[in-house]
Structure formats: C-alpha cells, structure tokens
Amino acid sequence: MFNPRLQAEKLPLTRRTNLVTDSQPELEIEGSTYRTDPWTNVPQSILSLIPRRLHLQPSHPVSLTRELIESRFPSPTYIHHNDLSAVVTVAQNFDSLGFPADHPGRNRSDTYYINQDTVLRTHTSAHEADIFRQNASEGYTISADVYRRDAVDRSHYPVFHQMEGARMWDRGKVPGGDIAKAVRDDLARMPKHDLEVEDPNPTVDPERNPLQAKHHSLEEVEAVAAHLKRSLEGVVVELFSKAKQAAAAANGPDPSIQEEPLKVRWVEAYFPFTSPSWELEVFWQGDWLEILGCGVTKQDLYINADIPNHIGWAFGVGLERVAMLLFSIPDIRLFWSRDKRFLSQFTTVDNINRYKSFSKHPACYKDVAFWLRSSSSSAGGGLRSNAQDFHENDVMEIVRIIGGDLVEDVRLVDEFQHPVSGRKSLCYRINYRSLERTMTNEEANEMHESVRGELVKKLGVELR
C-alpha cells in the first residue's frame, strides 16, 4: 500500500510532519542563522518553501503573470526587484509603514515570526521604504513571495506572491517644479487603448477619498491619478487580451467571452499607504472582478525615506489571483505542484494556455469537534489558553502542518455555547483530498488523528 512518508520526495502535494520550530535554539534560513525565542512560530514546512520562488520559476504561471505585468513598465524608467530576501525585520514590515502597535497584522496569529524582531514578510511593501530611500529610478516593481497564517481553502495558501509598483516625480528635477505639467507630459507619451472605462467619481472627495492637502494640489493629484489609471488600464488590456486568446484556443470562439467588450471600472477605496485610493475591477465572463488596489502614495512614506520632494502613485496586486483568472486554475495548491502534468501545460507569455485538469480525486471529509478552554490554567500547555485567546488561524496552521497540500479546505460547520457553563464548542470539517492521486481512508484517518492530538497539545482544547 502507498506510504506517504516513504514517497514524500516523489509526491509534491504531500503531507508535512514538521511541527513547530520554537524548540530549536537557532534557525538557518538560506545560509543565515537566526536565534529563536518565545515569539518563534514558523514551522519547518513553511521554511522549506522559501527557496521555491515561483515568481522566478521559468514557464510557471505565477512567473508568466509577473512577466506580463512587468512588460507594461519598461526600463529604464522602472527597475524590477524580484529577488529580495523573504526575511525582514519587524521595523521593515510594520514600523516603516506606520502600522500601529496594536495592529492585528502584528499578532503571532497572523504573521510568521522567526523571533521577536524578525519575520517572514507579510507583504512586498516591507521593502518599500528601503527602495524609496535608494532613489535609484523613477519607478519600480517588486515581486516576491509573502507569508501569512490564513484560512485553508482553494484560494488561500500560507505562501503567495504579490507585485507592487510605483512611479515618482521629483519636484526638484522637473522643469520649474511643475509636477502637474511633468506628469501630463509623461501621460501624453503613453500608449492609448480602446478599453471601455467606468470612472464616475471625482478624483478626490473630502470624506470618501481625501486629498493630501498639506502636501499636494488638486491639479497635481488629478494628473498623477490619470497617469496611474492609464498605466493600470494598459495592464488589464495586456492580461485579458491574452486570456481571451487562451479561451478561444481551448474552446473555440466563445460568444460569451469573445463578443464581451473588455471593460473596467474604478471604485473608490481605502488603503493605509495611499490617498486618494481606488480598486480596479474588470468585467470578465459576466461578472465584475476586483484585480488590484492603488492610489496616490502617502507623502509620509517619502518623508520618512528622506525624499520629501517626491510625489507619485503606487499599486499592489496578488499574482496568484490574476494567474488563476488568466490560466483558469481552480485551486491555489496547484501552483506548488511539481507534477509535469501541471507544469508542462505552460510555456511562454506569447502562448498562454488554459489549465486542463489531469485528474479528479474523491474528497474525504472528517470532522473534529472540541470544547474551548474555559480558564487560563496551565494544563495542556497550549499556545493559547482559553476561549478569549483562541484564534482560528491556529487551527488552520495545525491542519496545514500535518496535512500539507493533502488538505483542500477547512470550514467551521457548527458552534455551540453551553447555556449553563458558558463553555464554547466548535466543529470543523476538514476535506482531505490530493490533486494528484486517490488518497486512502487509512491515510486520512492517520492524519486526522494527528490533527486531533495536536489540537489538544497546542491549543489545550477538550475533544468531543
């Protein structure tokens, strides 16, 4: 009978048995050594993914998506940063961007800590201040793997890839210090498109989308916003023209896609690092889909990076989200597959193919129900001691560590509070399913028993 432990090297979507690393005095990550402490919560299974760098893997869907977007931001105006270290300081990841001390993103429930002062980056913006400070180009993109403790389902993974981009103008370098004219001149040189655009709102609104009036004039911001929107509309044309071609190649002319006009709309939004801000949505296969977020960069970021005379825009996009649309990939776990049946389907940016399923294997559902601790006694030795401290991401992390890519999703299916004792009970349903082979019930049972045991050991819960 197939033994997942013996076949781990051959099976890319496999079970992971490495649990927490905080019992080790040191961690070695890509040639550097880091001390551990009580903040350490990154499992070896996550550390093992750092060298993969899917955004740089030739012919990989994530890498091809990156290349397509980068093609709209040519050198020498833009420098592309693609190989920055995933290990950053807390100061880089949070402090440099103005995250308040009580921001939930700083919690161990959300972020992988190597130690109290060092994390695996949770966003590409961890490098933003350093690149602004270098001031080596008028624009840049950063593409990188980022790490977050999150839900387990077909669209979430603890490692994913982001791209952010920025364009800046220096008041001290543009003729006469006239930022608005300099931006408009750049805009006039940019390629035009015939995309249908809905943009019903004014550039700024004092309540919904405020001007940074202390630093920018309305004329400057309107020019920067127009440049930003034209730039990102060009990205949509590049990506979704390819997607239409791929759909036609896979299925023949599809009137629902081929005759559907490509159109976008700009929606007012809030982001902590830009103002005014927008989300860009694309009408695709009968529905509006959010693609990215963007806006006029907060001036404090430039001031803190010692380039206070700059003004510009920035955007951020999830590469997996776009790649799943572009290549019709239904499950985010597939991006991490080493199976040639998956990887061989993709070649170059000039030949975008829709994903063709090479297998469909049955699901294996298992439930786990437990009472949360009602006191903070030390019994159980868990990461969290009681119902108030419980965080669902801890459950997700335990399941991921044990089941790895053999778990498709984890859902809360029932919760109950005892009317007398006040104790709270939760029931989670775990779907064990491989993308590459049929799992046995024995395999699923073995993993599930390990999950149950770790929930007791790490969270101090009482199984029902």
Side-chain angles (χ1 to χ4, degrees), residues 124-177:
T124 52
S125 298
H127 305 285
E128 188 175 87
D130 294 333
I131 292 177
F132 280 156
R133 195 169 290 112
Q134 292 170 8
N135 198 18
S137 62
E138 295 175 328
Y140 69 81
T141 67
I142 303 171
S143 297
D145 42 331
V146 299
Y147 299 78
R148 295 183 192 172
R149 299 174 91 237
D150 208 341
V152 178
D153 58 41
R154 291 159 67 94
S155 60
H156 292 86
Y157 204 81
V159 189
F160 58 102
H161 297 77
Q162 286 184 337
M163 175 187 281
E164 74 171 62
R167 177 72 164 89
M168 299 159 283
W169 292 265
D170 187 340
R171 293 184 189 279
K173 293 183 178 179
V174 301

Coordinates of all heavy atoms in Angstrom, one line a residue, residues 124-177:
T124 N 4.9 42.8 0.1 CA 6.1 43.4 -0.6 C 6.4 44.8 -0.1 O 7.6 45.2 -0.3 CB 5.8 43.4 -2.1 OG1 4.6 44.1 -2.4 CG2 5.8 42.0 -2.7
S125 N 5.5 45.4 0.5 CA 5.7 46.8 1.0 C 6.8 46.8 2.1 O 7.2 47.9 2.5 CB 4.4 47.4 1.5 OG 3.5 47.6 0.4
A126 N 7.1 45.7 2.6 CA 8.2 45.6 3.6 C 9.5 46.2 3.1 O 10.4 46.7 3.8 CB 8.4 44.2 4.1
H127 N 9.7 46.2 1.7 CA 10.9 46.7 1.1 C 10.7 48.2 0.6 O 11.7 48.7 0.0 CB 11.3 45.8 -0.1 CG 11.4 44.4 0.4 ND1 12.5 43.9 1.1 CD2 10.6 43.3 0.1 CE1 12.4 42.6 1.3 NE2 11.2 42.2 0.7
E128 N 9.5 48.7 0.7 CA 9.2 50.0 0.1 C 10.1 51.1 0.6 O 10.7 51.9 -0.3 CB 7.7 50.3 0.3 CG 7.2 51.5 -0.5 CD 5.7 51.6 -0.2 OE1 5.3 52.3 0.7 OE2 4.9 51.1 -1.0
A129 N 10.2 51.3 1.9 CA 11.0 52.4 2.4 C 12.4 52.3 1.9 O 13.1 53.3 1.6 CB 10.9 52.4 3.9
D130 N 13.0 51.1 1.9 CA 14.4 50.9 1.5 C 14.6 51.3 0.0 O 15.6 52.0 -0.3 CB 14.9 49.5 1.7 CG 14.9 49.1 3.2 OD1 15.1 50.0 4.0 OD2 14.7 47.9 3.5
I131 N 13.6 50.9 -0.8 CA 13.8 51.3 -2.2 C 13.5 52.8 -2.5 O 14.2 53.4 -3.3 CB 12.8 50.4 -3.1 CG1 13.3 48.9 -3.0 CG2 12.7 50.9 -4.5 CD1 12.4 48.0 -3.7
F132 N 12.6 53.3 -1.8 CA 12.4 54.8 -1.8 C 13.7 55.5 -1.4 O 14.1 56.4 -2.1 CB 11.3 55.2 -0.9 CG 9.9 55.0 -1.5 CD1 8.8 54.9 -0.6 CD2 9.6 55.0 -2.8 CE1 7.5 54.8 -1.1 CE2 8.4 54.8 -3.4 CZ 7.3 54.7 -2.5
R133 N 14.3 55.0 -0.4 CA 15.5 55.7 0.1 C 16.7 55.6 -0.8 O 17.5 56.5 -1.0 CB 15.9 55.0 1.5 CG 16.9 55.9 2.3 CD 17.0 55.3 3.7 NE 15.8 55.6 4.5 CZ 14.9 54.7 4.9 NH1 15.1 53.4 4.6 NH2 13.9 55.0 5.6
Q134 N 16.7 54.4 -1.6 CA 17.8 54.3 -2.6 C 17.6 55.3 -3.7 O 18.6 55.7 -4.3 CB 17.8 52.8 -3.1 CG 18.2 51.8 -2.2 CD 17.9 50.4 -2.7 OE1 17.5 50.2 -3.9 NE2 18.0 49.4 -1.9
N135 N 16.4 55.6 -4.0 CA 16.0 56.6 -5.1 C 16.8 56.3 -6.4 O 17.4 57.2 -6.9 CB 16.3 58.0 -4.5 CG 15.6 59.1 -5.3 OD1 14.7 58.8 -6.1 ND2 16.1 60.3 -5.2
A136 N 16.9 55.0 -6.8 CA 17.7 54.7 -7.9 C 17.0 54.8 -9.3 O 17.6 54.7 -10.3 CB 18.2 53.2 -7.7
S137 N 15.7 55.0 -9.3 CA 14.9 55.1 -10.5 C 13.6 55.9 -10.3 O 13.2 56.0 -9.1 CB 14.6 53.7 -11.1 OG 13.8 53.0 -10.2
E138 N 13.0 56.3 -11.4 CA 11.7 57.0 -11.3 C 10.6 56.1 -10.9 O 9.5 56.5 -10.4 CB 11.4 57.7 -12.6 CG 12.5 58.8 -12.9 CD 12.2 59.5 -14.2 OE1 11.8 58.7 -15.1 OE2 12.5 60.6 -14.4
G139 N 10.7 54.8 -11.2 CA 9.7 53.8 -10.9 C 10.3 52.5 -10.6 O 11.5 52.2 -10.8
Y140 N 9.5 51.6 -10.1 CA 10.0 50.2 -9.8 C 8.8 49.3 -9.7 O 7.6 49.7 -9.5 CB 10.8 50.2 -8.5 CG 10.0 50.4 -7.2 CD1 9.2 49.4 -6.6 CD2 9.9 51.7 -6.6 CE1 8.5 49.6 -5.5 CE2 9.2 51.9 -5.5 CZ 8.5 50.9 -4.9 OH 7.7 51.1 -3.8
T141 N 9.1 48.0 -9.7 CA 8.1 47.0 -9.3 C 8.9 46.1 -8.3 O 10.1 45.9 -8.4 CB 7.6 46.1 -10.4 OG1 8.6 45.4 -11.0 CG2 6.9 47.0 -11.5
I142 N 8.2 45.5 -7.4 CA 8.7 44.5 -6.5 C 7.8 43.3 -6.7 O 6.6 43.4 -6.6 CB 8.7 44.9 -5.0 CG1 9.5 46.2 -4.8 CG2 9.2 43.7 -4.2 CD1 9.3 46.7 -3.4
S143 N 8.4 42.1 -7.0 CA 7.6 40.8 -7.0 C 8.3 39.9 -6.0 O 9.5 39.8 -6.0 CB 7.6 40.2 -8.4 OG 7.0 41.1 -9.3
A144 N 7.4 39.3 -5.2 CA 8.0 38.4 -4.1 C 7.0 37.5 -3.5 O 5.8 37.7 -3.6 CB 8.6 39.3 -3.0
D145 N 7.5 36.4 -2.9 CA 6.7 35.5 -2.1 C 6.5 36.2 -0.7 O 7.4 36.8 -0.1 CB 7.4 34.2 -1.9 CG 8.9 34.4 -1.6 OD1 9.5 35.3 -2.1 OD2 9.5 33.5 -0.9
V146 N 5.2 36.1 -0.2 CA 4.9 36.7 1.1 C 4.2 35.6 1.9 O 3.6 34.7 1.3 CB 4.0 38.0 0.9 CG1 4.7 39.0 0.1 CG2 2.7 37.6 0.2
Y147 N 4.2 35.8 3.2 CA 3.8 34.7 4.1 C 2.8 35.2 5.2 O 3.0 36.2 5.8 CB 5.1 34.2 4.8 CG 6.1 33.7 3.9 CD1 6.9 34.6 3.1 CD2 6.3 32.3 3.7 CE1 7.9 34.1 2.2 CE2 7.2 31.8 2.8 CZ 8.0 32.7 2.0 OH 8.9 32.2 1.1
R148 N 1.7 34.5 5.3 CA 0.7 34.8 6.3 C 0.0 33.6 6.7 O -0.3 32.7 6.0 CB -0.4 35.8 5.7 CG 0.1 37.1 5.3 CD -1.0 38.0 4.8 NE -0.5 39.2 4.1 CZ -1.2 40.1 3.4 NH1 -2.5 39.9 3.4 NH2 -0.7 41.1 2.8
R149 N -0.3 33.5 8.0 CA -1.1 32.4 8.6 C -2.6 32.8 8.2 O -3.0 33.9 8.5 CB -0.9 32.4 10.1 CG 0.5 32.1 10.5 CD 0.7 32.2 12.0 NE 0.5 30.9 12.6 CZ -0.3 30.6 13.6 NH1 -1.1 31.6 14.0 NH2 -0.4 29.4 14.1
D150 N -3.2 31.8 7.6 CA -4.5 32.2 7.0 C -5.4 31.0 6.9 O -5.1 29.9 7.4 CB -4.3 32.8 5.6 CG -5.4 33.8 5.1 OD1 -6.5 33.7 5.7 OD2 -5.1 34.5 4.2
A151 N -6.6 31.1 6.3 CA -7.5 30.1 6.1 C -7.0 29.0 5.2 O -6.0 29.2 4.5 CB -8.8 30.6 5.5
V152 N -7.6 27.8 5.3 CA -7.3 26.7 4.4 C -8.4 26.5 3.5 O -9.5 26.1 3.9 CB -7.0 25.4 5.2 CG1 -6.7 24.2 4.2 CG2 -5.9 25.6 6.2
D153 N -8.3 26.9 2.2 CA -9.3 26.6 1.2 C -8.6 26.7 -0.2 O -7.4 26.9 -0.3 CB -10.5 27.6 1.3 CG -10.1 29.0 1.2 OD1 -9.3 29.4 0.4 OD2 -10.7 29.8 2.0
R154 N -9.4 26.7 -1.3 CA -8.9 26.6 -2.6 C -8.3 27.9 -3.1 O -7.7 28.0 -4.1 CB -10.0 26.2 -3.6 CG -10.4 24.7 -3.4 CD -11.8 24.4 -3.9 NE -11.8 24.5 -5.4 CZ -11.7 23.5 -6.2 NH1 -11.5 22.3 -5.7 NH2 -11.7 23.7 -7.5
S155 N -8.5 29.0 -2.4 CA -8.0 30.3 -2.8 C -7.0 30.9 -1.8 O -6.5 32.0 -2.0 CB -9.1 31.3 -3.1 OG -9.9 31.5 -1.9
H156 N -6.7 30.2 -0.7 CA -5.8 30.7 0.3 C -4.6 29.7 0.5 O -4.9 28.5 0.6 CB -6.4 31.0 1.6 CG -7.4 32.2 1.6 ND1 -8.7 32.1 1.2 CD2 -7.2 33.5 1.8 CE1 -9.3 33.2 1.2 NE2 -8.4 34.1 1.6
Y157 N -3.4 30.3 0.7 CA -2.3 29.5 0.9 C -1.3 30.3 1.8 O -1.3 31.5 1.7 CB -1.6 29.1 -0.4 CG -0.7 27.9 -0.4 CD1 -1.3 26.6 -0.5 CD2 0.7 27.9 -0.2 CE1 -0.5 25.5 -0.5 CE2 1.5 26.8 -0.2 CZ 0.9 25.6 -0.3 OH 1.7 24.4 -0.3
P158 N -0.6 29.7 2.7 CA 0.3 30.4 3.6 C 1.4 31.2 3.0 O 2.0 32.1 3.5 CB 0.8 29.4 4.6 CG 0.8 28.1 3.9 CD -0.4 28.2 3.0
V159 N 1.7 30.8 1.7 CA 2.7 31.5 0.9 C 2.0 31.9 -0.4 O 1.4 31.0 -1.0 CB 4.0 30.6 0.6 CG1 5.0 31.5 0.0 CG2 4.5 29.9 1.9
F160 N 2.1 33.1 -0.7 CA 1.6 33.6 -2.0 C 2.5 34.7 -2.6 O 3.5 35.0 -1.9 CB 0.1 34.0 -1.9 CG -0.2 35.1 -1.0 CD1 -0.4 36.4 -1.4 CD2 -0.3 34.9 0.4 CE1 -0.7 37.4 -0.5 CE2 -0.5 35.9 1.3 CZ -0.7 37.2 0.8
H161 N 2.1 35.2 -3.7 CA 3.1 36.2 -4.4 C 2.3 37.5 -4.7 O 1.2 37.5 -5.2 CB 3.6 35.5 -5.6 CG 4.4 34.3 -5.4 ND1 3.8 33.1 -5.1 CD2 5.8 34.1 -5.3 CE1 4.8 32.2 -4.9 NE2 6.0 32.8 -5.0
Q162 N 3.0 38.5 -4.4 CA 2.5 39.9 -4.6 C 3.4 40.6 -5.6 O 4.6 40.3 -5.7 CB 2.4 40.7 -3.3 CG 1.3 40.3 -2.4 CD 1.2 41.2 -1.2 OE1 2.2 41.9 -0.8 NE2 0.1 41.3 -0.6
M163 N 2.8 41.6 -6.3 CA 3.6 42.5 -7.0 C 3.1 43.9 -6.6 O 1.9 44.1 -6.6 CB 3.5 42.4 -8.5 CG 4.2 43.5 -9.3 SD 4.0 43.4 -11.1 CE 5.1 42.1 -11.6
E164 N 4.1 44.8 -6.4 CA 3.7 46.2 -6.2 C 4.5 47.0 -7.1 O 5.6 46.6 -7.5 CB 3.8 46.7 -4.8 CG 5.2 46.9 -4.3 CD 5.2 47.6 -2.9 OE1 4.7 47.0 -2.0 OE2 5.8 48.7 -2.8
G165 N 4.0 48.2 -7.5 CA 4.7 49.1 -8.4 C 4.5 50.5 -8.0 O 3.6 50.8 -7.3
A166 N 5.5 51.3 -8.4 CA 5.4 52.8 -8.0 C 6.0 53.6 -9.1 O 6.9 53.2 -9.8 CB 6.1 53.0 -6.7
R167 N 5.5 54.8 -9.2 CA 6.1 55.8 -10.1 C 6.2 57.1 -9.4 O 5.3 57.5 -8.6 CB 5.2 56.0 -11.4 CG 5.7 57.0 -12.4 CD 7.0 56.6 -13.1 NE 7.2 57.4 -14.3 CZ 7.9 58.6 -14.3 NH1 8.5 59.0 -13.2 NH2 8.1 59.2 -15.4
M168 N 7.3 57.8 -9.5 CA 7.6 59.0 -8.7 C 8.1 60.2 -9.6 O 8.8 59.9 -10.6 CB 8.6 58.8 -7.6 CG 8.2 57.7 -6.6 SD 9.6 57.0 -5.7 CE 10.3 55.9 -7.0
W169 N 7.8 61.4 -9.2 CA 8.4 62.6 -9.8 C 9.0 63.4 -8.7 O 8.4 63.6 -7.6 CB 7.3 63.4 -10.6 CG 6.8 62.6 -11.8 CD1 7.2 62.8 -13.1 CD2 5.7 61.7 -11.8 NE1 6.4 62.0 -13.9 CE2 5.5 61.3 -13.1 CE3 4.9 61.1 -10.8 CZ2 4.6 60.3 -13.5 CZ3 4.0 60.1 -11.2 CH2 3.8 59.8 -12.5
D170 N 10.1 64.0 -9.0 CA 10.9 64.9 -8.0 C 10.6 66.3 -8.3 O 11.0 66.8 -9.4 CB 12.4 64.5 -8.1 CG 13.2 65.2 -7.1 OD1 12.7 66.2 -6.5 OD2 14.3 64.7 -6.8
R171 N 10.0 67.1 -7.4 CA 9.8 68.5 -7.6 C 11.1 69.2 -7.9 O 11.0 70.3 -8.7 CB 9.2 69.1 -6.3 CG 7.8 68.6 -6.0 CD 7.3 69.4 -4.8 NE 6.0 68.8 -4.3 CZ 4.8 69.0 -4.8 NH1 4.7 69.8 -5.8 NH2 3.8 68.4 -4.3
G172 N 12.2 68.8 -7.4 CA 13.4 69.5 -7.6 C 14.0 69.2 -9.0 O 15.0 69.9 -9.4
K173 N 13.5 68.3 -9.8 CA 14.1 67.9 -11.0 C 13.2 68.3 -12.2 O 13.7 68.4 -13.4 CB 14.4 66.4 -11.1 CG 15.6 66.1 -10.1 CD 15.9 64.6 -10.2 CE 17.1 64.2 -9.3 NZ 17.4 62.8 -9.4
V174 N 11.9 68.4 -12.0 CA 11.0 68.7 -13.2 C 11.1 70.1 -13.5 O 11.4 71.0 -12.6 CB 9.5 68.3 -12.9 CG1 9.5 66.8 -12.5 CG2 9.0 69.1 -11.7
P175 N 10.9 70.5 -14.8 CA 11.1 71.9 -15.2 C 10.2 72.9 -14.4 O 9.0 72.6 -14.3 CB 10.7 71.9 -16.6 CG 11.0 70.5 -17.1 CD 10.7 69.6 -15.9
G176 N 10.8 73.9 -13.7 CA 10.0 74.8 -13.0 C 9.3 74.3 -11.8 O 8.5 75.0 -11.2
G177 N 9.7 73.0 -11.4 CA 9.0 72.4 -10.2 C 7.5 72.1 -10.5 O 6.8 71.9 -9.5

